[in-house]
Amino acid sequence: MTEKQDGTEGHAVGEHSYGRAPSVTSLVTGASSGIGMAFARRLAARGDDLVIVARSEGRLKELADEIQSGLGREVEVLPADLTLADDVGRVEQRLQSDERPVELLVNNAGFGTAGKFVELPVGREDEEIRLNVLALMRLTHAALPGMIQRGHGGVINVSSVGGFQPGPRNATYSATKAFVTSFSEALHEELRGSGVQLTVLCPGFTRTEFQQRGGFDTEHIPKMAWQTPEAVVDAALAALEKGKALCVPGFGNKATASMVHLAPRGLVRRMSAKVAERF
């Protein structure tokens, strides 16, 4: 067992590392933009073939053409709306397939909503839970048995630093990410000794379409608080290779996460509310 700089434990490489087969297929959800697209490009650049999943088939095909022509990797386009049970089922079937088995699952698809909970459309909040929580849980459950049987593989579940504390004015989003972090850390321990590695990624402010789609006002957020999707992805892949349970990329995000755990719960809740009122 080794102690990592962010205070989380990681499995020693010989004990529980993400073992890569000679020819690897990785599946990335939410691959049509942002962090998901950055994952797809980084994984293809290191030599992985891909299965890319998102609602927008057009965007997926553009990304597939870019990767196939530029890097020569095989890219399977799998359009799916992961708020719909039938579409989740199709992705589950792909993860359970023995043909070109998936060695790395990146559960990146997700969205957030901003505003007072009682004023937000309840249907959209329901979709948020189905995508951020239920789809992630089901796809993880579909991928793990095959990986465990083969004795190697990896899962990266994308959470958020927003899951470390209650989130007034984005209550549902913060709650879904709290689930993802807790769920993923628990599975990390369950997988100990299996040869399969699971890491939860908790980024902070990242330059993607996420804020615009969720209705978040980012005008007053300092430039130094932002990271690029590529930096976030590089941190996540390094953490997976090192057997880390938790990856919080960026010094400021690590400091915030540490302070949240140390401060009184009531103070954290009030400070979160004040920040939400401003932004």
Side-chain angles (χ1 to χ4, degrees), residues 7 14 16 50 70 80 97 99 110 115 119 133 150 179 202 219 228 247 250 268:
H16 188 169
L50 297 174
S97 173
E99 184 177 349
E119 298 173 358
V133 173
R150 293 187 293 271
F179 172 91
C202 299
E219 182 180 352
T228 65
C247 174
V268 170

Side-chain angles (χ1 to χ4, degrees), residues 16 18 91-92 94-98 101-107 136-157 183-184 186-192 194-199 240:
H16 188 169
Y18 162 46
V91 182
E92 287 177 308
R94 179 61 185 88
L95 288 166
Q96 293 164 343
S97 173
D98 293 328
V102 171
E103 298 289 341
L104 173 63
L105 166 63
V106 180
N107 274 315
L136 178 142
M137 179 275 291
R138 292 193 65 97
L139 297 187
T140 302
H141 192 273
L144 285 178
M147 293 179 182
I148 292 169
Q149 184 177 19
R150 293 187 293 271
H152 53 79
V155 177
I156 297 175
N157 286 335
F183 172 73
S184 300
L187 293 189
H188 176 89
E189 292 304 316
E190 291 185 15
L191 292 168
R192 186 184 298 274
S194 69
V196 180
Q197 170 61 29
L198 192 148
T199 297
L240 185 73

Side-chain angles (χ1 to χ4, degrees), residues 23-77:
S23 178
V24 171
T25 297
S26 295
L27 186 149
V28 182
T29 70
S32 61
S33 64
I35 292 174
M37 182 178 285
F39 264 115
R41 287 170 171 160
R42 284 289 199 259
L43 292 169
R46 77 176 190 180
D48 293 15
D49 293 330
L50 297 174
V51 182
I52 51 176
V53 180
R55 290 181 304 170
S56 174
E57 184 174 6
R59 281 190 169 193
L60 290 180
K61 286 182 175 179
E62 288 178 4
L63 178 60
D65 290 343
E66 171 197 319
I67 290 171
Q68 288 169 335
S69 62
L71 297 169
R73 306 314 308 172
E74 292 293 326
V75 183
E76 179 181 340
V77 171

Side-chain angles (χ1 to χ4, degrees), residues 203-226:
F205 292 112
T206 309
R207 296 289 185 186
T208 69
E209 298 174 2
F210 173 86
Q211 290 80 19
Q212 181 181 359
R213 289 179 176 177
F216 295 92
D217 180 6
T218 61
E219 182 180 352
H220 302 293
I221 296 171
K223 290 183 179 180
M224 62 181 297
W226 292 93

Side-chain angles (χ1 to χ4, degrees), residues 87-186:
D87 284 21
V88 172
R90 290 193 295 108
V91 182
E92 287 177 308
Q93 289 177 1
R94 179 61 185 88
L95 288 166
Q96 293 164 343
S97 173
D98 293 328
E99 184 177 349
R100 294 177 61 217
V102 171
E103 298 289 341
L104 173 63
L105 166 63
V106 180
N107 274 315
N108 166 74
F111 71 89
T113 50
K116 290 185 177 181
F117 174 73
V118 296
E119 298 173 358
L120 294 170
V122 70
R124 188 62 170 161
E125 301 298 280
D126 181 87
E127 289 181 346
E128 191 172 358
I129 293 170
R130 280 188 273 137
L131 179 59
N132 295 7
V133 173
L134 293 178
L136 178 142
M137 179 275 291
R138 292 193 65 97
L139 297 187
T140 302
H141 192 273
L144 285 178
M147 293 179 182
I148 292 169
Q149 184 177 19
R150 293 187 293 271
H152 53 79
V155 177
I156 297 175
N157 286 335
V158 179
S159 184
S160 169
V161 293
F164 291 136
Q165 66 278 319
R169 296 180 186 264
N170 49 60
T172 300
Y173 176 75
S174 293
T176 64
K177 294 306 181 179
F179 172 91
V180 172
T181 301
S182 177
F183 172 73
S184 300
E185 289 195 272

